[in-house]
Amino acid sequence: MTPDRHPLDRDVQFVKGVGPRLAELFAKLGVQTVRDLFYHFPRRYEDRSQFPPIGSVRPGQWVTVRGRLLELDSRPSRGGMAITKATLTDGTGIVSLVWFNQPWVRRALTKVEGEILAYGQVKEANWGIEIHAPEWELVEEGEDSDQFGRIIPVYPLAEGLQQRWVRRAIETVLANDLDHFVDPLTPAILKRQMLRPLRWSLRQIHRPESEEFRLQARERLVFEEFLYPQIAMQMKRLESHRETGIAFGIPEALWDEIAGLFPFELTRAQRRVVGEVLADMRRPHPMNRLIQGDVGSGKTAVAAAAILAAVRSGYQAALMAPTEILAEQHYINLHRVFEPIGLQVALVVGKQNSRQRKAALGAVGSGQAPIAIGTHALIQEGVEFHRLGLAIVDEQHRFGVMQRLALRQKGDLNPDVLVMTATPIPRTLTLAFYGHLDVSVIDELPPGRQAIKTYWKLPYERAKVYEGVRKVIAEGKQAYFVCPMISESEKMQTQAAEDLYYRLSTEVYPDLRVGLLHGQMKPDAKEDVMLKFRAGELDVLVSTVVIEVGVDVPNAIAMVIEDANRFGLAQLHQLRGRVGRGSDQSYCVLVAEAKTEEARARLETMVATTDGFKIAEQDLRLRGPGQLMGTMQHGNLDLKIADLVKDARMIEVARDCSEWLLQIDLHLQLPEHQGILSQVQEHPVDKTLLTVS
Ligand code: ADP
Ligand code: MG
């Protein structure tokens, strides 16, 4: 142990009563220092003043019961599982405690002499009631004259670690080490936010004197957990506002030219967002802007406007998409927009033969093509831009940060970066994850769109669904069938698509033109199918989720998603966004059983709304942020106490406070802000996966 180590950085093994063996168990929980012990928060609390009599508890309730063991029984089940069963009584009734495959529980229970506490959900059993896999612990001697008060913390444990050991260790550091904490938050901040001081909060979170105090303690700790990353992201954002970038000399007449690009008028939201983008581009600092827009909100038009602004100011623009299908789609669309005004668009994708590639790279390198569209092939070795000024990344969550970095560095200048995402996430999450970006939201759909009618049908109703699709096709429209997502494996996915294709093309629609699209097809074959479908030469397209993003065929107005319960909400929403892209009434049919409550809730949400933001909020509620963000990581948000859903409001509060603070002290140089600064430095923004610059 180094002598100058801060007392809070001491190894837990030196805490009285802990020692090296327990320290090893604590390490499994990520608790290594005294400070970590303080930040090992209870996962729940128990009011020990009232245990319900066992005779009064009912199935469905979550309860803590207290009693003596009557019987202990352990045997292998027929399925090969070891089942441990203990009967517990308090004189008013009997409950069975049941553990599966946890032989150590039996060993531990054998030694029990006095009373135990057991916590869990009560279930109905053949002969009375049971609790499956309950948490349990011994009733400590002297528990009734308890020094903790009546509200007892219950801590997360690791195997082999007992609740009372954790309680005792935390009790010890609360008594001896609490004074070593210095509150990073200044009195001014505490007052502004009406928050409790740190030491008070740490004590109350572990041994609350009342429910009210516990909530106040929690509020303070949650606030802090959001604050430091928020400050870090805000500093980053404000920093990029001062870096040297390109000040595009966008001509005044640009708006007129933008208006002439499209056969439609931009929506108010599109115009507002284009305005925000152009304002960023004019500034002599690099743009780092995220554009959020629900599927079909018209992000491509906004991108096109930004591209034109760059080109008319004498720079090149690049647009990078996550898949070849999407890159080609963008290429087709933008080529159609820009060719009539004499601007060459180059396509750079991996599948090109060397002649095509050479031509494309030549045009990009010489500047002859002011616009380049591509996949990650755009950022590979050997791609040189003549004068890259604007980089647009579509569907950003599919790219790792390194790829984006590489795109940015293709310019010698510091190009502007625009990130577009069709994954609407609630505003609070945007703040939590993209606080370092400026954000624009296209919160309006083009006029004349009709909400997609969505139905949920059970598998036995398939025949009717197929008939319905047939009617749509008879009217000259087209339909998608999305095959069930059976696994992450491409090969299995392909198999599923081929099966569905076979069934539809031979049994259900032998008289119609059915096509197949999946990720393992050769690029040429994929393109061929897409072109045919777009040209109306196919009636039905059977596909895997490769059509999830970006595909735009307005004449396709029906989609059937097989086994829709296998998809997450966000993904269903993306898939559904492939229809309803024109002015015709569109339909989406989810064919699924709902075996779980969650599956049912998801399907019902899809039927009830087409608003991506509402769907995202529901997804967040049902599955938590990890799922919603998909492959995105929590990045620098490693939450110990805060809950992104429950505490969403606090994210805004933290954001507001960080803005206020940085207005006073942009670089956190004031002496009273040194505590905050060192906390902020523990949350470096560029370590996250989400950083653009
Ligand atoms: P997103 O990428 O946001 O899902 P797209 O840019 O692909 O949406 O646009 C969806 C469809 O809406 C396209 O067919 C596009 O031509 C059309 N569109 C975009 N903006 C408008 C508008 N302002 N008015 C009418 N149609 C529009
Ligand atoms: Mg798009």
Side-chain angles (χ1 to χ4, degrees):
M1 194 172 113
T2 44
D4 56 348
R5 191 181 272 192
H6 191 278
L8 293 172
D9 292 329
R10 262 161 41 229
D11 197 308
V12 277
Q13 66 167 306
F14 301 118
V15 171
K16 195 165 140 265
V18 175
R21 209 183 58 85
L22 259 189
E24 260 172 51
L25 296 176
F26 273 119
K28 288 192 200 167
L29 293 166
V31 172
Q32 280 164 350
T33 64
V34 171
R35 187 193 314 275
D36 294 341
L37 260 184
F38 278 100
Y39 280 85
H40 187 58
F41 297 127
R43 44 181 293 265
R44 60 184 183 88
Y45 301 81
E46 237 167 59
D47 185 348
R48 295 258 161 116
S49 58
Q50 35 194 321
F51 296 109
I54 293 175
S56 76
V57 303
R58 293 287 168 263
Q61 289 179 321
W62 288 88
V63 291
T64 303
V65 288
R66 172 175 178 164
R68 274 178 307 103
L69 293 180
L70 277 182
E71 255 177 72
L72 184 59
D73 181 22
S74 191
R75 69 176 82 158
S77 78
R78 254 166 282 149
M81 262 202 280
I83 297 185
T84 302
K85 205 168 192 170
T87 27
L88 189 77
T89 185
D90 63 355
T92 69
I94 290 178
V95 60
S96 301
L97 311 178
V98 185
W99 289 268
F100 304 96
N101 275 343
Q102 299 190 27
W104 61 90
V105 172
R106 188 188 57 80
R107 287 197 294 274
L109 285 175
T110 321
K111 296 178 204 145
V112 169
E113 282 170 3
E115 288 185 308
I116 71 163
L117 299 169
Y119 168 81
Q121 192 178 25
V122 180
K123 298 227 151 84
E124 193 158 353
N126 282 343
W127 310 103
I129 50 170
E130 310 186 320
I131 300 179
H132 289 183
E135 280 176 26
W136 68 282
E137 61 183 282
L138 295 173
V139 177
E140 294 281 292
E141 278 169 48
E143 176 99 49
D144 295 318
S145 62
D146 172 41
Q147 76 282 34
F148 259 78
R150 309 312 287 180
I151 303 174
I152 303 288
V154 180
Y155 292 99
L157 297 177
E159 195 191 320
L161 192 62
Q162 293 192 18
Q163 195 57 249
R164 59 199 164 114
W165 300 340
V166 180
R167 284 196 196 121
R168 199 171 297 151
I170 288 175
E171 190 59 9
T172 306
V173 293
L174 276 174
N176 301 332
D177 294 289
L178 195 56
D179 289 346
H180 294 304
F181 279 95
V182 177
D183 198 337
L185 301 184
T186 60
I189 293 177
L190 295 180
K191 186 153 168 249
R192 181 177 193 271
Q193 309 299 143
M194 297 205 300
L195 293 170
R196 295 284 195 169
L198 180 60
R199 290 180 203 167
W200 185 92
S201 303
L202 285 174
R203 178 181 297 281
Q204 292 293 332
I205 202 74
H206 288 291
R207 34 181 308 180
E209 281 165 47
S210 69
E211 178 64 5
E212 194 191 343
F213 283 2
R214 183 184 74 77
L215 289 173
Q216 290 175 4
R218 184 175 184 281
E219 185 172 62
R220 139 93 212 205
L221 295 166
V222 166
F223 171 80
E224 225 182 339
E225 204 158 59
F226 286 137
L227 181 70
Y228 305 127
Q230 208 43 244
I231 295 176
M233 287 190 281
Q234 289 314 313
M235 285 174 94
K236 181 97 191 160
R237 195 171 70 92
L238 297 175
E239 219 171 82
S240 78
H241 288 179
R242 291 190 311 274
E243 272 171 35
T244 308
I246 305 166
F248 290 83
I250 300 170
E252 280 310 314
L254 189 81
W255 277 106
D256 295 334
E257 203 180 2
I258 290 173
L261 285 181
F262 314 108
F264 45 74
E265 263 185 52
L266 293 182
T267 62
R268 269 220 328 265
Q270 281 171 321
R271 266 183 284 136
R272 192 192 68 240
V273 172
V274 170
E276 286 164 358
V277 169
L278 298 189
D280 277 1
M281 291 177 71
R282 287 198 169 99
R283 283 188 204 112
H285 312 291
M287 166 168 72
N288 276 301
R289 186 168 286 275
L290 173 72
I291 296 182
Q292 271 185 22
D294 208 342
V295 273
S297 62
K299 290 182 292 296
T300 315
V302 171
I307 289 171
L308 189 66
V311 174
R312 290 297 183 233
S313 314
Y315 291 88
Q316 283 176 302
L319 171 63
M320 188 158 89
T323 64
E324 285 192 353
I325 289 183
L326 194 48
E328 283 159 12
Q329 173 105 25
H330 277 310
Y331 172 75
I332 291 168
N333 283 336
L334 293 176
H335 179 74
R336 200 187 311 141
V337 167
F338 288 117
E339 202 227 22
I341 56 172
L343 300 179
Q344 186 183 337
V345 182
L347 177 68
V348 181
V349 288
K351 68 167 190 199
Q352 286 168 317
N353 64 36
S354 59
R355 194 182 47 81
Q356 289 169 318
R357 188 174 164 83
K358 214 170 144 205
L361 295 192
V364 172
S366 68
Q368 184 196 343
I371 303 159
I373 315 284
T375 54
H376 53 273
L378 262 185
I379 53 175
Q380 273 156 8
E381 234 14 66
V383 184
E384 294 296 336
F385 285 86
H386 174 64
R387 206 170 176 229
L388 182 65
L390 172 70
I392 303 178
V393 183
D394 195 10
E395 310 292 350
Q396 98 296 346
H397 62 282
R398 304 212 162 200
F399 288 103
V401 59
M402 295 317 292
Q403 288 175 317
R404 277 177 273 137
L405 261 178
L407 180 57
R408 166 152 254 178
Q409 283 162 358
K410 284 290 173 192
D412 315 326
L413 319 148
N414 204 357
D416 279 5
V417 173
L418 202 55
V419 178
M420 301 198 296
T421 173
T423 310
I425 57 175
R427 182 187 137 73
T428 47
L429 280 198
T430 306
L431 290 183
F433 291 96
Y434 302 113
H436 57 300
L437 301 179
D438 295 300
V439 179
S440 295
V441 184
I442 312 180
D443 50 6
E444 181 187 3
L445 293 180
R449 291 277 173 79
Q450 302 185 46
I452 302 162
K453 283 199 175 133
T454 302
Y455 305 92
W456 168 21
K457 296 289 176 192
L458 294 166
Y460 75 83
E461 299 174 288
R462 270 205 185 95
K464 262 199 277 174
V465 173
Y466 293 162
E467 273 318 298
V469 171
R470 187 176 274 284
K471 280 195 205 126
V472 165
I473 290 167
E475 287 164 18
K477 303 296 179 186
Q478 295 160 283
Y480 296 102
F481 276 79
V482 180
C483 74
M485 165 106 138
I486 40 177
S487 78
E488 292 292 312
S489 136
E490 282 266 357
K491 214 165 151 197
M492 304 270 286
Q493 251 346 98
T494 300
Q495 185 65 45
E498 280 171 348
D499 289 351
L500 182 62
Y501 170 74
Y502 182 79
R503 196 157 55 79
L504 292 179
S505 59
T506 62
E507 291 168 22
V508 184
Y509 303 123
D511 52 326
L512 299 182
R513 299 163 300 172
V514 182
L516 171 65
L517 182 70
H518 61 70
Q520 285 197 313
M521 282 162 57
K522 292 244 166 61
D524 285 349
K526 270 192 238 171
E527 181 171 272
D528 195 46
V529 170
M530 271 320 296
L531 286 175
K532 274 195 178 134
F533 190 65
R534 199 171 284 129
E537 291 163 21
L538 292 171
D539 305 305
V540 171
L541 182 63
V542 176
S543 173
T544 57
V545 290
V546 295
I547 57 153
E548 182 187 356
V549 280
V551 174
D552 187 22
V553 181
N555 193 50
I557 61 160
M559 171 174 283
V560 178
I561 304 179
E562 297 273 351
D563 287 357
N565 52 325
R566 291 178 186 260
F567 298 95
L569 265 181
Q571 201 169 22
L572 285 174
H573 180 64
Q574 287 298 317
L575 285 168
R576 180 171 62 181
R578 300 307 110 218
V579 296
R581 304 184 73 81
S583 53
D584 292 303
Q585 177 64 56
S586 292
Y587 306 91
C588 176
V589 186
L590 311 168
V591 181
E593 278 178 289
K595 294 209 178 87
T596 64
E597 268 308 303
E598 191 204 292
R600 168 178 287 273
R602 263 185 306 177
L603 293 165
E604 280 169 355
T605 302
M606 289 300 295
V607 172
T609 182
T610 51
D611 180 331
F613 284 91
K614 282 197 188 129
I615 288 172
E617 259 162 42
Q618 179 68 356
D619 210 9
L620 186 61
R621 221 168 290 136
L622 290 174
R623 299 194 302 167
Q627 290 293 330
L628 175 62
M629 310 303 276
T631 49
M632 286 183 354
Q633 303 297 305
H634 280 201
N636 57 344
L637 263 192
D638 172 22
L639 302 177
K640 285 199 162 56
I641 188 164
D643 179 313
L644 279 171
V645 182
K646 274 199 296 188
D647 300 312
R649 196 191 59 89
M650 197 53 107
I651 301 173
E652 308 229 25
V653 173
R655 157 79 169 222
D656 171 73
C657 182
S658 75
E659 280 175 357
W660 170 81
L661 182 69
L662 293 176
Q663 244 165 32
I664 297 170
D665 184 10
L666 184 56
H667 301 285
L668 298 181
Q669 284 164 330
L670 296 176
E672 65 266 33
H673 292 153
Q674 292 320 293
I676 293 179
L677 181 63
S678 67
Q679 292 294 323
V680 168
Q681 282 162 347
E682 307 235 316
H683 297 273
V685 176
D686 45 9
K687 271 206 188 147
T688 74
L689 280 168
L690 304 167
T691 315
V692 168
S693 59

